Amino acid sequence: MAVWPTRAASAADLAALRSLLTDSCETAIIPTSALLADAIDRDLVRVLESAGELVGCIAAEMPSPEHVRISVIAVREGMRRQGIAKQLLTEMVTDIPRKSSEPPLISVVARTEQLALTRLLLATDFKGTRVIRMGGAGNALHIHYQYKSRVEYIDPDARHLVPVSAQAQLTESLSPADHAVTGLVTLSGEPAFEIARFEQDDPATLQSGEAAAGIAFSGSILAAITFLLGFAFSSTRFPDDVRLLLIGATFSTVLSLIIYASASGELARIRSNSFGKIMKWGNVLSEYGGVFPFLISLPVTYAQASGDPWTTMTLAVVFSSAIAWYEQSEFSIAHRFQRSSFEIALIVLTAASPTVGAALIAANATSWPWTTVLIATLAARTWLYLFRRGAESDIAERRQWQIRE
């Protein structure tokens, strides 16, 4: 499917937008000039041009900071069935959440007989959640579709088909809050909606489990670091700089435990919707302040204890390779944030640290420069993720509590 160049509409496009909508849409759904001008001012209109002519557009309105309603999608005759409408809608639902701290609900209302629009919405992760009676000709049924911004799970044994013409049954099927339109199929030669039931999760239980897992993980890492630190103090040959690295790891891990406990308290009180932010602090501090210093110190400790350079370097290379693989995997904290070239350089330094540190110890060389670079690298990554990146993917944006005074 071709990718078309699109852009945000400007006030100069208003006349061309009115012409496109008049030629492509029913009169009843065309926004007024005042509404279009307001949507353009609020950056809620995108257009697509071909050969200097507007051939596609999408417009929305924002009645509240928490809700965006797509009001019209139009593609000029002769340019349809080329993916233009899908591209415009995809770009709109991707761009809108970036403009606010809390992503708003994005919705569209479509009549049951608007099958092309229904297929477009379902193909772009919209789900029909409610039947809305808006009056008009024939008292047609409208379905409220909303964009699903987070992962939800469908019960595979709780799905059924409802013909588009069966309005009473459709209304009944969408009455439960956990049922939604998830597909449009052909049944006995006629269009039919697929209705599915979504599993309902318990936000408090899920967040409580996440906080408990963080506490258990940091507690285990703290125990391991403390054991290694005891060995470091009992050995007269252990490098002082590595002792300091382990002391810092102990402090950071204890701090992450305190932060995870704070997340549990936030969850218990349900006051400020800051659970995701607190968990980000705990996750970053436990990983870059506790886990990585501990893992990188293990080959160094082995080099000091064994005195065998060959097994030491083999172990160090294995550790470096494992860290490099982990950094590129979906399991790492870094995977949850957007990456830059500076961050990639820090990742390379982190992965190389076990090999470099073990080599210095095996060669009886000064290891202070290595420790200084490692501490600076981990501190830079901690600062980057805590202060220069947004929330972790799929944490702050999910399960927001609505606080009523």
Side-chain angles (χ1 to χ4, degrees):
M1 183 179 295
V3 177
W4 301 84
T6 67
R7 60 175 175 83
S10 65
D13 297 315
L14 188 57
L17 276 170
R18 295 290 302 174
S19 174
L20 170 63
L21 294 174
T22 301
D23 294 341
S24 308
C25 303
E26 302 173 13
T27 304
I29 66 172
I30 299 177
T32 65
S33 297
L35 287 176
L36 272 179
D38 179 67
I40 291 173
D41 290 340
R42 302 176 72 174
D43 198 19
L44 293 173
V45 181
R46 295 195 67 82
V47 297
L48 185 149
E49 290 179 311
S50 178
E53 179 187 25
L54 251 60
V55 297
C57 73
I58 183 171
E61 54 183 316
M62 185 177 285
S64 73
E66 295 81 24
H67 200 138
V68 172
R69 170 68 60 82
I70 306 294
S71 53
V72 66
I73 306 172
V75 178
R76 196 174 294 279
E77 189 73 31
M79 295 295 292
R80 296 173 182 173
R81 301 185 183 278
Q82 300 185 51
I84 293 176
K86 184 175 182 179
Q87 181 181 335
L88 288 168
L89 182 58
T90 301
E91 291 182 3
M92 178 70 79
V93 299
T94 302
D95 187 56
I96 286 175
R98 299 174 182 168
K99 301 174 183 177
S100 59
S101 57
E102 292 187 11
L105 172 71
I106 304 175
S107 69
V108 183
V109 174
R111 296 195 308 273
T112 52
E113 66 267 22
Q114 291 180 298
L115 302 183
L117 177 58
T118 298
R119 289 191 179 92
L120 170 64
L121 295 173
L122 295 174
T124 47
D125 294 327
F126 280 80
K127 299 294 177 281
T129 57
R130 288 289 180 274
V131 168
I132 300 178
R133 295 188 179 274
M134 302 180 66
N139 197 27
L141 282 184
H142 295 70
I143 297 180
H144 174 271
Y145 292 89
Q146 66 184 65
Y147 181 70
K148 289 293 184 182
S149 58
R150 64 185 178 92
V151 174
E152 290 187 302
Y153 297 95
I154 293 176
D155 184 345
D157 297 324
R159 291 180 288 181
H160 62 280
L161 301 176
V162 178
V164 169
S165 58
Q167 296 190 357
Q169 180 59 54
L170 180 62
T171 302
E172 180 182 341
S173 294
L174 291 181
S175 295
D178 56 353
H179 283 62
V181 174
T182 57
L184 183 64
V185 300
T186 300
L187 179 66
S188 301
E190 299 293 333
F193 293 115
E194 181 185 63
I195 311 295
R197 185 176 73 84
F198 285 82
E199 297 285 358
Q200 296 294 297
D201 54 21
D202 181 359
T205 300
L206 294 175
Q207 290 183 343
S208 177
E210 190 171 343
I215 292 173
F217 176 76
S218 286
S220 301
I221 292 298
L222 180 61
I225 293 174
T226 304
F227 174 80
L228 189 59
L229 188 60
F231 174 81
F233 280 123
S234 65
S235 173
T236 58
R237 299 174 55 207
F238 207 91
D240 289 335
D241 53 328
V242 180
R243 288 193 185 102
L244 291 176
L245 179 65
L246 292 173
I247 291 172
T250 303
F251 173 78
S252 181
T253 306
V254 170
L255 189 59
S256 71
L257 274 172
I258 296 172
I259 292 174
Y260 283 133
S262 176
S264 298
E266 155 67 17
L267 179 62
R269 290 185 292 272
I270 311 177
R271 298 295 184 190
S272 61
N273 272 333
S274 59
F275 177 82
K277 296 178 182 178
I278 297 174
M279 289 298 295
K280 183 180 84 165
W281 275 78
N283 292 341
V284 170
L285 287 174
S286 67
E287 177 140 327
Y288 299 104
V291 175
F292 276 124
F294 169 68
L295 292 177
I296 293 170
S297 297
L298 288 177
V300 177
T301 303
Y302 182 82
Q304 186 67 50
S306 70
D308 185 347
W310 293 106
T311 57
T312 293
M313 294 311 301
T314 300
L315 179 65
V317 170
V318 169
F319 267 63
S320 289
S321 301
I323 290 175
W325 172 85
Y326 170 75
E327 291 276 21
Q328 297 301 316
S329 72
E330 61 182 321
F331 309 110
S332 69
I333 297 295
H335 184 76
R336 305 178 187 179
F337 300 97
Q338 181 182 2
R339 296 188 178 183
S340 63
S341 56
F342 174 65
E343 182 187 350
I344 293 174
L346 294 177
I347 290 174
V348 171
L349 287 173
T350 304
S353 292
T355 301
V356 175
L360 291 174
I361 296 299
N364 293 319
T366 303
S367 57
W368 276 102
W370 165 77
T371 308
T372 303
V373 171
L374 175 60
I375 292 174
T377 299
L378 295 177
R381 297 188 70 180
T382 301
W383 169 81
L384 182 69
Y385 297 135
L386 290 182
F387 301 107
R388 303 297 295 178
R389 293 290 185 267
E392 294 179 66
S393 299
D394 198 34
I395 289 186
E397 291 79 4
R398 71 188 182 199
R399 297 186 289 274
Q400 291 291 313
W401 297 99
Q402 292 297 318
I403 302 173
R404 304 296 182 188
E405 299 295 344

